[in-house]
Amino acid sequence: MGKVLKVIGTIIKVLTIITGILFVIYFWNLDQKLMGWLYTIVNKIFDKKKADIRF
């Protein structure tokens, strides 16, 4: 019985930490800031390549 409660307690702790991290990401809008940073990096990479246009 003690092992089961320890496992359940560990699962609850992990889920609480994950929920807290996701709340911080949502609250500070970090996902969009990260994607904005990522888009600038991707655009710099693809702007350097020559266009492959065939008519």
Side-chain angles (χ1 to χ4, degrees):
M1 187 69 168
K3 290 182 181 182
V4 173
L5 290 177
K6 187 178 269 191
V7 170
I8 291 173
T10 304
I11 291 172
I12 290 173
K13 285 179 188 178
V14 169
L15 290 176
T16 303
I17 291 170
I18 291 172
T19 303
I21 291 170
L22 290 175
F23 177 76
V24 168
I25 289 171
Y26 173 77
F27 185 74
W28 283 337
N29 207 14
L30 295 178
D31 55 340
Q32 289 188 10
K33 291 178 183 176
L34 177 64
M35 290 306 293
W37 173 79
L38 186 64
Y39 282 147
T40 58
I41 300 298
V42 170
N43 285 334
K44 285 180 185 177
I45 292 170
F46 283 103
D47 286 345
K48 292 178 184 177
K49 294 183 178 183
K50 289 185 177 182
D52 186 21
I53 301 173
R54 297 179 186 163
F55 291 103

